[in-house]
Amino acid sequence: MESFALCSPSSSSFSLSSRSSLHHHHHLRSRPLALSKSPPSISPRPIASLRSPLSLSLSLLTPKPSSFNPLPKTHRALKAHYPIRASSPTNEDSITQSKPPQGAKLLPLIISVSVGLIVRFLVPRPPEVNPQAWQLLAIFLSTIAGLVLSPLPVGAWAFLGLTTSVLTKTLTFPIAFGAFTNEVIWLIVISFFFARGFVKTGLGDRIATYFVKWLGKSTLGLSYGLTISEALISPAMPSTTARAGGVFLPIIKSLSLSAGSKPGDPSARKLGSYLVQSQFQSAGNSSALFLTAAAQNLLCLKLAEELGVVIASPWVSWFKAASLPAVVSLLATPYILYKLYPPETKDTPDAPAMAAKKLDAMGPVTSNEWVMVGTMLLAVSLWVFGDALGIASVVAAMLGLSILLLLGVLDWDDCLSEKSAWDTLAWFAVLVGMAGQLTNLGIVSWMSGCVAKVLQSFSLSWPAAFVVLQASYFLIHYLFASQTGHVGALYSAFLAMNLASGVPGVLAALALAYNTNLFGALTHYSSGQAAVYFGAGYVDLPDVFKVGFIMAVVNAVIWGVVGTFWWKFLGLY
């Protein structure tokens, strides 16, 4: 899932250093002893690197909404050097009192449970469907409703759904928990650790800053620099939310503020609004370009495999099919938005100089960054050539993570504190397991057969049915606040409908998966990165919906026209 908890834009301070911030940074470095006179008071967000028992207990008491620490390296080092101290029980009480209300939200809980109960007891069961399958469908729909309405955090709600399936004897315990050993899910989990390594070492920040230095003389060039750098980082940093909150939004905010473009202010249109919109709309194409650029991509292929659509050499096949339409969209998006949603500031002559100063402040490439580069090159190479070498994708990821742990780029505490990874493991496994059993019990084939009969009644050819189903799958995302939630709920069903309508299997599976990335920019709630970029305060809500819809049409035209010829050339149909 592109979890909203990965990064908080309001607290992100990875920034492209301005002259004043560089001066302040130099001041801090030149006077380290001055801070010892007044040690910092208790912070509401404990620092993960503390090792004292007291600070460990405080970390357990305090919620940590952000998995990635968005503070600059120097700031993190200073805070780690001066441990958090508790001088009185009052401070601990204040931390405890700041915890959010516990328990389920009543109205979402009632609605979510009601969905399952209505299907189970009030909707007549079709004679082709056995009672076990119908009961599992009711539990699954209730689980999906809860993922959308959020009576509890997604992992907790998914666990309740799994518990219900075992308690009602709809599924046995081994079958219910069988998906927790799924290779694809563990590949997703390890990918979150790779993303953390990019943020922790500062490698992602460095790469993006180099592109600002090279291409940032104009606003349009600046946008292209950021877009290209995200596309290059994406296969090794498979979370659009992490890329948005940990790398690109902080740089955009710093550049915008230096140009006098402030969030929540008329000056936002000078620079910040355009850069945010451009990066936000481009991110979906970056995620669609590589199999490992987004967690939901791997989930799509796993669900396709359960329906009998097996894609040989998945990393290479995915990239080949996506390459031409994705690259065309990536090149077109900044220019189209430059005309559609123009910035008031056309030239940014100071940006390259600011980037150069930021790189000077960062210093030479560190040994940990080189290890990160080498490890990711190894992992990506094994993802590309793994089939020929007999090395599974998850084994390549395990090898990469082992290297990062052995050489100290990541430590085990980094992995344990990556809550988004473990949360994803929990609810992905539940969704994959339930979806797989729905397929095994015949629910998916029954549903797809019903829809296929309706489409056939209109005498639609398979290309026409393909267009209708793809468009429906895309537009339904207005009802979802999660890309992976959408995949878990509807991907298998829509793929089965495509297959029943005569659409070639690999074409249907890949097209639906690409759509899963593209609809992440429809609204301010359609994905984790959407929440990050909208939360920056540079874009008004009506503009999010307007630009999101227009760019959805643009992407549909580009992918439809370019993809039609490209996929025919590749032999997908």
Side-chain angles (χ1 to χ4, degrees):
M1 175 183 180
E2 288 300 337
S3 171
F4 287 12
L6 282 170
C7 297
S8 172
S10 61
S11 61
S12 294
S13 54
F14 276 134
S15 62
L16 189 63
S17 299
S18 62
R19 292 177 177 85
S20 60
S21 61
L22 282 170
H23 175 74
H24 177 64
H25 174 71
H26 176 74
H27 178 69
L28 288 175
R29 295 184 62 185
S30 62
R31 298 182 58 189
L33 297 177
L35 292 174
S36 63
K37 295 179 182 179
S38 57
S41 59
I42 292 178
S43 167
R45 181 177 298 177
I47 306 303
S49 60
L50 297 180
R51 294 292 184 268
S52 69
L54 177 57
S55 52
L56 178 59
S57 66
L58 288 177
S59 68
L60 295 174
L61 286 171
T62 309
K64 294 183 286 185
S66 174
S67 298
F68 294 98
N69 187 341
L71 297 173
K73 293 180 181 178
T74 306
H75 196 176
R76 291 202 303 269
L78 287 170
K79 293 190 78 175
H81 185 68
Y82 295 94
I84 297 172
R85 295 187 177 94
S87 57
S88 69
T90 304
N91 292 326
E92 292 188 25
D93 293 341
S94 65
I95 294 175
T96 304
Q97 292 172 3
S98 67
K99 294 177 67 175
Q102 297 181 349
K105 301 172 186 174
L106 187 58
L107 183 59
L109 174 65
I110 292 173
I111 296 174
S112 301
V113 173
S114 298
V115 168
L117 293 176
I118 290 171
V119 171
R120 174 64 180 84
F121 295 106
L122 298 182
V123 177
R125 176 175 60 85
E128 313 93 291
V129 178
N130 65 49
Q132 180 192 7
W134 194 250
Q135 187 159 289
L136 181 59
L137 176 62
I139 296 171
F140 180 74
L141 293 176
S142 184
T143 303
I144 294 300
L147 295 182
V148 174
L149 300 175
S150 299
L152 286 172
V154 290
W157 185 253
F159 184 79
L160 289 181
L162 191 66
T163 301
T164 303
S165 68
V166 176
L167 185 64
T168 58
K169 298 184 179 179
T170 307
L171 298 176
T172 64
F173 185 90
I175 291 177
F177 281 84
F180 280 83
T181 61
N182 186 285
E183 291 184 3
V184 171
I185 294 174
W186 278 99
L187 178 58
I188 294 170
V189 171
I190 296 173
S191 295
F192 276 101
F193 301 149
F194 288 160
R196 188 177 185 90
F198 262 81
V199 174
K200 181 180 179 181
T201 61
L203 179 60
D205 194 18
R206 186 185 295 274
I207 292 172
T209 305
Y210 267 115
F211 277 93
V212 172
K213 178 182 176 182
W214 295 332
L215 301 175
K217 290 183 179 180
S218 68
T219 301
L220 185 59
L222 191 58
S223 178
Y224 273 111
L226 294 171
T227 297
I228 293 170
S229 60
E230 177 163 12
L232 292 177
I233 292 172
S234 63
M237 194 174 183
S239 168
T240 48
T241 312
R243 297 197 298 267
V247 178
F248 293 100
L249 180 60
I251 292 177
I252 290 171
K253 288 174 69 175
S254 179
L255 289 167
S256 300
L257 291 173
S258 68
S261 181
K262 301 176 183 178
D265 187 82
S267 63
R269 289 300 298 266
K270 291 181 66 176
L271 183 63
S273 297
Y274 166 73
L275 289 180
V276 166
Q277 283 281 26
S278 178
Q279 198 67 21
F280 177 35
Q281 294 296 331
S282 299
N285 287 291
S286 297
S287 297
L289 183 56
F290 299 100
L291 175 62
T292 51
Q296 65 267 13
N297 295 347
L298 301 158
L299 180 61
C300 288
L301 292 198
K302 178 60 184 176
L303 294 175
E305 184 179 326
E306 292 180 354
L307 287 176
V309 181
V310 179
I311 299 175
S313 302
W315 204 96
V316 176
S317 298
W318 178 288
F319 174 73
K320 283 170 61 178
S323 57
L324 191 58
V327 168
V328 171
S329 286
L330 281 171
L331 294 176
T333 297
Y335 182 77
I336 291 173
L337 285 172
Y338 191 77
K339 298 297 184 181
L340 175 70
Y341 196 74
E344 295 174 5
T345 301
K346 306 296 183 182
D347 297 311
T348 53
D350 294 336
M354 291 174 61
K357 289 183 179 180
K358 173 65 182 293
L359 291 169
D360 289 341
M362 293 176 73
V365 179
T366 65
S367 58
N368 280 352
E369 288 177 272
W370 282 119
V371 171
M372 195 74 210
V373 170
T375 302
M376 293 318 305
L377 287 176
L378 173 64
V380 171
S381 298
L382 291 177
W383 287 333
V384 173
F385 303 108
D387 285 351
L389 299 174
I391 299 176
S393 296
V394 68
V395 176
M398 292 168 64
L399 176 61
L401 177 60
S402 299
I403 293 172
L404 296 179
L405 291 170
L406 284 171
L407 298 181
V409 175
L410 292 175
D411 56 42
W412 192 237
D413 282 344
D414 292 322
C415 298
L416 293 177
S417 60
E418 190 57 61
K419 295 196 298 183
S420 295
W422 303 114
D423 185 52
T424 298
L425 170 65
W427 79 275
F428 262 30
V430 172
L431 282 184
V432 170
M434 285 188 178
Q437 289 306 308
L438 286 173
T439 301
N440 293 338
L441 294 172
I443 284 287
V444 173
S445 60
W446 167 73
M447 293 176 62
S448 61
C450 292
V451 175
K453 288 178 182 178
V454 174
L455 293 175
Q456 289 169 2
S457 68
F458 290 102
S459 301
L460 295 179
S461 61
W462 77 255
F466 173 77
V467 171
V468 170
L469 290 171
Q470 293 291 333
S472 301
Y473 181 76
F474 190 99
L475 294 174
I476 286 175
H477 194 66
Y478 277 108
L479 304 178
F480 284 85
S482 161
Q483 290 166 284
T484 45
H486 189 147
V487 171
L490 297 176
Y491 181 87
S492 294
F494 269 83
L495 178 56
M497 293 176 210
N498 274 269
L499 297 177
S501 300
V503 181
V506 174
L507 173 64
L510 289 177
L512 287 171
Y514 296 148
N515 262 335
T516 299
N517 293 286
L518 299 177
F519 58 45
L522 268 179
T523 68
H524 64 298
Y525 58 83
S526 57
S527 60
Q529 70 269 23
V532 170
Y533 284 123
F534 177 71
Y538 277 101
V539 183
D540 294 330
L541 192 56
D543 289 334
V544 173
F545 278 86
K546 180 180 70 175
V547 174
F549 181 78
I550 292 173
M551 292 309 301
V553 174
V554 170
N555 280 319
V557 171
I558 292 175
W559 282 79
V561 174
V562 177
T564 296
F565 294 101
W566 182 237
W567 297 333
K568 180 67 174 177
F569 174 76
L570 294 177
L572 296 185
Y573 68 95

